[in-house]
Amino acid sequence: MSEARGWSRRRTNAPCGPPGESRTDMLRKLEPEEIAFIERVNAVYLSDELDFEEAVREYRRIEEEFVERAGDNEYHVVETRRRITEWILSEAVRDVQPHEVCREIWHELLQRGFSDVQKRYNMSGIYARCCQLNGEFDAGLAVIEPLIAEAEQALADPALPPNPRIFYEYALPIDRKIRDELKAGIRSLMQRIEAVYFSDEMSFEEAVREYRRIEEEFVERAGDNEADVVETRRSITEWLLRHALEKEQPHEVCREIWHELLQRGFSRIEERHRSSRIYARCCQMNGEFDAGLAVIEPLIAESEQEPEDAALPDPHAFYEHALEKHREIRDELKAGIRR
């Protein structure tokens, strides 16, 4: 019998409770220290103002503070340190940090350990993506291939309990996809997109053509995987909208991209709010204040109600942050301020 060692139903970053409980109820049952920690790290991760180095310094301040609060509770000390490193690694991937930065964070995480098997798989996948982003394909394979072998061995055991089986069945195709891309030497869609976005040599029209070429290539790679096709198309349009704002394109250009994005939909609630703010800024830039208000005011009403969403680790922190951003844009639009 090969029951997964270290398996735990405890999830430190995403508290869960009995079926039927609301996420608000679950948060209320957490210790005040846990709630405070979640709010602090979410505030850093959701911030648009902090660059990577500033974010790391803030994470370290949070780590120091909550380790001190933990006192002699060794479990809380260990978990606090682990979780801070996990957040920093996630931040490094999102900000496309160099491989040596990601590797240093990964080594720290290996030293601090993982709370459970699920966390080990999740963070290993994130680090493998770091390697892929930086073209360090062998380093990524060295992390991901043992996970695949472990999952295959576990799933071959008929005595594997239901919860671990569900997890391994979910994780295995994801890890195989990462492995296949690493073996093929394929840098990620995001890196290809960002290479266009940060290029100083392309006009907006040239950038649009390059985005569309990338879209066509990755849609073709996705084959019959409808989810990947949809996500690829959404990502391309989201970045087109950002690029239009960055290059100060006229309103009709921004509006056309926005309508395409509405048709393609949003993968996450965070992206819907973020892209809506970007389009509202496009409207503001072009003096189309009413068009911007038509987008931003419904988001303010939604955020004020704080609807529950299972995809949000901390709905209150998200909506609180979103409200601040939305209200700032709304006030400028109402005042007729162009930016």
Side-chain angles (χ1 to χ4, degrees), residues 323-337:
L323 261 178
E324 180 183 351
K325 297 295 182 185
H326 297 338
R327 285 170 173 165
E328 176 187 346
I329 297 173
R330 178 202 60 191
D331 293 346
E332 292 179 5
L333 288 166
K334 284 190 170 182
I337 299 172

Side-chain angles (χ1 to χ4, degrees), residues 125-152:
I126 289 173
Y127 177 62
R129 287 299 191 192
C130 284
C131 297
Q132 183 180 9
L133 283 169
N134 287 290
E136 298 287 342
F137 304 116
D138 289 341
L141 286 168
V143 170
I144 214 71
E145 286 187 325
L147 298 184
I148 293 172
E150 177 184 325
E152 289 173 339

Side-chain angles (χ1 to χ4, degrees), residues 102-290:
C102 298
R103 183 177 55 206
E104 182 178 348
I105 301 166
W106 175 244
H107 286 169
E108 177 179 280
L109 186 52
L110 290 177
Q111 291 172 349
R112 293 182 167 186
F114 303 96
S115 304
D116 52 42
V117 170
Q118 182 174 351
K119 185 60 68 176
R120 175 164 59 86
Y121 268 70
N122 290 346
M123 301 314 299
S124 297
I126 289 173
Y127 177 62
R129 287 299 191 192
C130 284
C131 297
Q132 183 180 9
L133 283 169
N134 287 290
E136 298 287 342
F137 304 116
D138 289 341
L141 286 168
V143 170
I144 214 71
E145 286 187 325
L147 298 184
I148 293 172
E150 177 184 325
E152 289 173 339
Q153 182 179 359
L155 289 170
D157 183 359
L160 185 69
N163 280 348
R165 182 171 296 278
I166 290 170
F167 169 71
Y168 284 125
E169 287 175 345
Y170 171 80
L172 188 56
I174 295 173
D175 290 341
R176 283 173 172 165
K177 180 181 178 183
I178 296 173
R179 176 202 60 192
D180 293 345
E181 291 179 3
L182 289 166
K183 283 190 171 182
I186 297 172
R187 292 181 182 241
S188 72
L189 171 65
M190 189 56 61
Q191 185 160 5
R192 292 281 300 280
I193 288 173
E194 289 186 338
V196 178
Y197 184 80
F198 291 110
S199 172
D200 295 327
E201 299 168 357
M202 294 185 192
S203 67
F204 179 74
E205 292 73 19
E206 290 170 333
V208 170
R209 288 194 290 272
E210 188 59 30
Y211 283 126
R212 294 305 186 189
R213 277 194 287 268
I214 295 170
E215 177 179 356
E216 183 178 349
E217 176 186 335
F218 277 81
V219 164
E220 184 177 351
R221 285 185 190 176
D224 296 331
N225 189 325
E226 185 61 26
D228 280 359
V229 170
V230 170
E231 280 306 301
T232 296
R233 295 196 187 283
R234 285 173 174 167
S235 294
I236 290 294
T237 310
E238 288 164 0
W239 281 88
L240 275 170
L241 185 63
R242 295 184 190 192
H243 210 128
L245 177 61
E246 177 72 20
K247 297 298 184 181
E248 300 182 353
Q249 292 300 294
H251 182 62
E252 54 270 21
V253 173
C254 299
R255 183 177 56 204
E256 183 178 348
I257 299 169
W258 175 245
H259 286 169
E260 178 179 279
L261 186 52
L262 291 177
Q263 290 173 347
R264 292 183 167 186
F266 303 95
S267 54
R268 298 176 299 121
I269 188 171
E270 298 100 313
E271 196 55 57
R272 176 165 62 86
H273 280 252
R274 186 180 301 114
S275 293
S276 297
R277 286 198 299 270
I278 291 171
Y279 178 61
R281 288 297 190 193
C282 289
C283 296
Q284 181 181 11
M285 173 182 68
N286 287 293
E288 298 287 340
F289 304 117
D290 289 341

